[in-house]
Amino acid sequence: MLFYDAQALGMKLPLTGGCSCSAVRYRCDAEPIVMFRCHCRDCQRATGTGAACVVYVPLTAFHLTQGSLQHHSTPSLDGSDNKRGFCAACGSPLTGGETDDSIGLHAASLDDPSIFRSSMDIHMSDAQSWDVVDPAVPKHDLYPSG
Ligand SMILES: [Zn+2]
Ligand SMILES: [Zn+2]
């Protein structure tokens, strides 16, 4: 399920992006699986704001075209680690939620962040009162079920 209209958003492949200092650049050859905002405290700390805006893509479509990612992990509620990638030179957060088959790109790291449309807000249990959320977007206390 896509939850968004790639054509209406003017989404053009490949998606490209990178960090603030340009030491790390990436390319993604596939349309996102899903896009969402995560309000958990770990995402808040990792992004320095109210929620991570995540563009979730197939791992096989994600390619670093310059530099390399440093990683750190934060614990997930399901007991696994959330593998987060960032630029070691400038600290920009670039990726998160990396698994064997998918990886989350931080929307603001895209060269064209305007293609981001959240399909859901997750971890609303940690959401900050000052972080404005769109009432029209489905909400989940933690993760979506199923
Ligand atoms: Zn950088
Ligand atoms: Zn999160």
Side-chain angles (χ1 to χ4, degrees):
M1 210 189 312
L2 284 173
F3 308 108
Y4 64 84
D5 183 339
Q7 208 167 5
L9 294 173
M11 195 181 288
K12 290 189 180 69
L13 297 180
L15 303 174
T16 57
C19 68
S20 173
C21 77
S22 297
V24 181
R25 296 281 305 160
Y26 65 76
R27 185 186 87 226
C28 173
D29 298 324
E31 288 178 357
I33 302 162
V34 65
M35 298 190 275
F36 60 90
R37 297 178 79 209
C38 181
H39 299 259
C40 81
R41 290 289 293 135
D42 286 328
C43 283
Q44 290 174 5
R45 292 190 182 96
T47 60
T49 185
C53 297
V54 181
V55 178
Y56 219 53
V57 301
L59 187 59
T60 51
F62 176 77
H63 307 282
L64 288 172
T65 53
Q66 188 165 291
S68 58
L69 292 170
Q70 286 277 104
H71 291 97
H72 71 109
S73 288
T74 55
S76 292
L77 283 184
D78 64 7
S80 61
D81 286 331
N82 185 327
K83 187 179 174 187
R84 299 175 183 271
F86 61 97
C87 170
C90 70
S92 298
L94 294 167
T95 66
E98 184 175 343
T99 68
D100 290 340
D101 55 13
S102 44
I103 186 170
L105 311 176
H106 283 295
S109 72
L110 291 168
D111 291 336
D112 180 12
S114 73
I115 60 127
F116 179 76
R117 284 298 178 283
S118 182
S119 295
M120 58 183 167
D121 287 287
I122 68 171
H123 277 273
M124 284 303 291
S125 54
D126 284 341
Q128 299 300 317
S129 59
W130 44 260
D131 187 24
V132 179
V133 293
D134 182 346
V137 173
K139 311 268 181 294
H140 302 278
D141 273 352
L142 297 172
Y143 299 106
S145 49

